[in-house]
Amino acid sequence: MTQETGGFAAFNLNPNILAAVIATGYEEPSAIQQQSIPIIMAGQDMIGQAQTGTGKTAAFALPILHCIDPAKREPQALILAPTRELALQVATAFETYAKQMPGVTVVAVYGGAPMGPQLKAIRNGAQIVVATPGRLCDHLRRDEKVLSTVNHLVLDEADEMLKLGFMDDLEVIFKALPPTRQTVLFSATLPQSIRAIAERHLRDPQHVKIQTKTQTVTAIEQAHLLVHADQKTSAVLSLLEVEDFDALIMFVRTKQATLDLASALEAKGYKAAALNGDIAQNQRERVIDSLKDGRLDIVVATDVAARGLDVPRITHVFNVDMPYDPESYVHRIGRTGRAGREGRALLLVTPRERRMLQVIERVTGQKVAEVRLPDAQAVLDARIKKLTNSLAPLVADAESTHGDLLDRLTADIGCTPRALAAALLRKATNGQALTLAAIEKERPLVPNSAPRGDRPERSGDRPDRGDRERRAPVPLAEGRARCRTALGARDGIAAKNLLGAILNEGGLAREAIGRIQVRDSFSLVELPEDGLEKLLAKLKDTRVAGKQLKLRRYRED
Ligand code: AMP
């Protein structure tokens, strides 16, 4: 066990849970975990004010797992979540932390899936039930005793549940639970409606809130990029192409992520290394020394491992994983902009983490501007600039040292100096894509592999509306509207065809067009809200791949 896992060890959790936490790669508890775990372990009721990204799931999952009895094959803990996605995410987290607890099973209960197998899993002795309120009520209507053995209840994202209209369902569920149960409520906000629930259904609850005080960050230019979790590595690689950095530190949450990202960077030729709590102190110092003297340019670190790191060369901080709280954000980005220099901080934000971004903006009192992934043209320009910068200093005296050789080689080969220079460039750039077409081929122009659950729905794949569950839409930037065409991959359409057609026929600048997502039977394009109707009218007769584009405004709901 490393010194850092001592943080989790101090809770005296069941050793099997602690072992699973260590295996997950967490180094120390987040602030909400630090405060909530002892309260929940002690069986007390609690109100936790925290949003996604603070580590709130583990804050209740670890102590709840600690409290259940694996030998009893009956539901002991119920977690209520507003959406199917969150329910699945929470169930997966429980499974991860219960990996080394034989006999503990978790069932996710949500709408849109058959009820039979869910009920069977409950009756077969799942101790942890993670459910959306609507579907759980359906089960209660069939078997009102299904929750009679539950002695721990967690309401996750309670404010979201109320927003989605689950109030009545919650009351039905409260009635079906033993009154002696422990109740824990997590909510990002505490409006009157939530306070009223707490008053009626919680007993003497402890309040836990992550204190945030205003912090100032100067001399650091901040930006954020909306990205899906599974696209982070490719987003980082794209950003590195265009960012003009000297040394860079990237923050991730787990040890494994430090290793994975560092090796992805190394594979692309960057001088990168991982820095995490498992790495021996003397080795860590070596990594930091290498970053100082330029043997390394990028360090991928966890918060713990980067403590005390002070390297004036650092021009950029990438928050690849969201920090748990604004203080930690301020602390992280303070690694750049040292000694009066300018620094730049980039934050990757997944759709579910946008709230945390707002909190950061509020606490720092600064807007963190949105940036987009560089397009192929920007990547090309950056690559050529780098090549120019690397060759320019060599030109001055090259003719005097290698001019004669050039004459001889052109004569021997029988080619022009231009042909020879081109051949040398090809060799020197080692197959790197240096034309627009080659770069477009190398990477999709826009990422279009949104993770499941965040994809716009296809018809026939709608969630159970009766359950009032919703799917988080792919984030839409301010001032943009999403438009849809029935042309998709099966019509032979690629993002660049749509882009080309809209650029040509619509007379727009490239920057005006946002994300393009090509699905099998349709595509979505983000266009400027301003003047949209006119633009759609202009594109009325546009054809792509021989078919009418028929672009229309697309509404999520
Ligand atoms: P949550 O706020 O529960 O949605 O958690 C956000 C993310 O943080 C999840 O990916 C967790 O796996 C991760 N996480 C939670 N606690 C820790 C921790 N102590 N150290 C590192 N990562 C964590």
Side-chain angles (χ1 to χ4, degrees):
M1 197 187 302
T2 62
Q3 189 197 334
E4 286 79 10
T5 44
F8 275 104
F11 293 127
N12 284 325
L13 285 161
N14 172 330
N16 290 335
I17 302 175
L18 180 62
V21 169
I22 293 170
T24 314
Y26 299 170
E27 295 198 317
E28 61 171 6
S30 68
I32 191 84
Q33 291 164 359
Q34 194 70 54
Q35 296 186 49
S36 311
I37 291 175
I39 297 173
I40 303 176
M41 272 175 85
Q44 284 185 283
D45 283 6
M46 195 194 94
I47 299 175
Q49 203 175 343
Q51 61 275 320
T52 301
T54 50
K56 70 177 163 60
T57 315
F60 61 77
L62 301 178
I64 295 276
L65 275 175
H66 176 87
C67 292
I68 64 155
D69 180 355
K72 277 200 199 148
R73 314 280 309 153
E74 60 192 20
Q76 295 172 45
L78 169 67
I79 322 304
L80 290 177
T83 65
R84 154 161 67 177
E85 283 75 40
L86 186 64
L88 283 168
Q89 210 171 299
V90 169
T92 309
F94 266 97
E95 274 165 1
T96 307
Y97 306 135
K99 247 194 197 125
Q100 311 200 21
M101 293 177 81
V104 173
T105 43
V106 182
V107 57
V109 168
Y110 51 84
M115 290 182 67
Q118 297 177 348
L119 199 57
K120 199 162 154 217
I122 299 175
R123 290 197 175 131
N124 279 349
Q127 294 91 346
I128 319 275
V129 179
V130 186
T132 52
R135 174 51 70 93
L136 188 63
C137 281
D138 295 342
H139 282 292
L140 279 172
R141 275 189 280 277
R142 285 194 186 178
D143 175 1
E144 60 184 26
K145 291 258 168 297
V146 82
L147 300 177
S148 60
T149 53
V150 168
N151 38 32
H152 308 276
L153 167 68
V154 178
L155 302 164
D156 194 9
E157 301 197 357
D159 49 357
E160 288 296 314
M161 280 197 268
L162 293 197
K163 266 191 218 153
L164 291 175
F166 282 131
M167 186 68 207
D168 294 345
D169 291 341
L170 287 183
E171 291 297 339
V172 170
I173 294 167
F174 281 128
K175 273 207 199 90
L177 290 163
T180 50
R181 63 166 197 273
Q182 174 186 30
T183 308
V184 172
L185 180 153
F186 275 93
S187 194
T189 56
L190 290 185
Q192 184 45 39
S193 51
I194 300 281
R195 287 174 208 272
I197 289 189
E199 220 150 82
R200 276 204 307 280
H201 298 289
L202 272 67
R203 272 167 307 155
D204 204 9
Q206 299 280 315
H207 285 254
V208 168
K209 186 177 175 190
I210 304 308
Q211 291 300 334
T212 51
K213 43 182 187 313
T214 309
Q215 310 245 355
T216 44
V217 216
T218 48
I220 302 169
E221 190 187 315
Q222 302 170 64
H224 79 272
L225 177 86
L226 289 173
V227 69
H228 288 285
D230 61 348
Q231 295 165 343
K232 282 187 180 178
T233 305
S234 66
V236 164
L237 291 172
S238 295
L239 291 167
L240 286 178
E241 296 254 12
V242 295
E243 291 292 333
D244 192 6
F245 66 94
D246 192 3
L248 197 154
I249 179 159
M250 296 189 184
F251 284 99
V252 292
R253 287 198 159 175
T254 64
K255 296 173 195 170
Q256 193 55 45
T258 62
L259 302 174
D260 293 346
L261 188 53
S263 55
L265 293 169
E266 276 190 298
K268 287 280 173 196
Y270 291 104
K271 292 186 279 174
L275 198 65
N276 65 50
D278 270 357
I279 296 171
Q281 188 56 34
N282 55 354
Q283 171 64 15
R284 284 197 226 173
E285 279 160 20
R286 243 176 283 149
V287 168
I288 294 169
D289 285 344
S290 304
L291 189 66
K292 278 186 183 150
D293 65 25
R295 275 173 296 155
L296 280 176
D297 291 329
I298 305 178
V299 163
V300 187
T302 54
D303 289 297
V304 173
R307 246 175 226 159
L309 187 149
D310 184 4
V311 177
R313 258 189 84 218
I314 295 177
T315 51
H316 284 60
V317 171
F318 278 15
N319 288 290
V320 178
D321 288 335
M322 183 66 95
Y324 304 113
D325 44 58
E327 282 80 4
S328 153
Y329 173 79
V330 172
H331 199 226
R332 284 179 177 189
I333 71 171
R335 306 276 166 214
T336 185
R338 291 280 163 118
R341 301 185 196 197
E342 274 179 24
R344 182 157 158 82
L346 268 160
L347 173 67
L348 302 196
V349 181
T350 62
R352 295 189 54 80
E353 291 168 342
R354 274 179 293 175
R355 217 169 193 161
M356 189 63 166
L357 171 67
Q358 288 165 8
V359 175
I360 288 174
E361 289 182 328
R362 204 180 59 232
V363 170
T364 57
Q366 283 178 31
K367 190 104 186 102
V368 180
E370 187 188 352
V371 289
R372 305 204 137 240
L373 277 180
D375 60 12
Q377 184 64 54
V379 171
L380 176 64
D381 292 346
R383 286 185 184 177
I384 290 181
K385 188 170 161 208
K386 268 188 206 144
L387 193 58
T388 310
N389 290 345
S390 69
L391 293 176
L394 308 180
V395 170
D397 66 343
E399 228 176 320
S400 63
T401 60
H402 288 69
D404 292 345
L405 181 61
L406 182 84
D407 292 342
R408 163 130 195 225
L409 288 176
T410 47
D412 286 358
I413 300 169
C415 66
T416 61
R418 185 168 193 264
L420 185 56
L424 289 171
L425 273 177
R426 179 152 66 199
K427 194 155 188 235
T429 53
N430 204 10
Q432 193 185 27
L434 285 162
T435 61
L436 261 191
I439 291 172
E440 267 164 17
K441 222 193 253 160
E442 191 181 66
R443 69 186 69 218
L445 191 57
V446 282
N448 56 10
S449 56
R452 257 203 89 71
D454 282 335
R455 282 184 191 165
E457 291 152 19
R458 280 169 284 160
S459 54
D461 187 22
R462 300 217 156 246
D464 182 352
R465 288 288 163 186
D467 209 1
R468 276 160 291 161
E469 289 166 15
R470 46 121 227 225
R471 291 177 169 208
V474 173
L476 190 61
E478 236 179 79
R480 286 197 199 278
R482 188 169 279 135
C483 296
R484 182 184 190 282
T485 162
L487 301 184
R490 69 173 177 203
D491 304 294
I493 298 285
K496 63 174 181 219
N497 305 125
L498 293 173
L499 181 65
I502 299 168
L503 284 179
N504 292 338
E505 312 264 347
L508 291 181
R510 171 65 188 95
E511 312 75 73
I513 304 178
R515 194 189 311 256
I516 300 180
Q517 299 167 80
V518 176
R519 300 280 180 255
D520 195 31
S521 58
F522 68 93
S523 304
L524 299 174
V525 185
E526 292 174 15
L527 295 171
E529 179 70 66
D530 196 9
L532 183 67
E533 301 312 323
K534 259 201 198 135
L535 175 67
L536 294 182
K538 227 179 187 177
L539 295 171
K540 198 165 68 62
D541 298 316
T542 301
R543 297 176 81 81
V544 183
K547 296 191 178 149
Q548 270 223 300
L549 180 61
K550 286 203 194 139
L551 207 53
R552 305 245 186 288
R553 185 191 279 275
Y554 175 70
R555 295 188 195 279
E556 251 84 68
D557 45 2

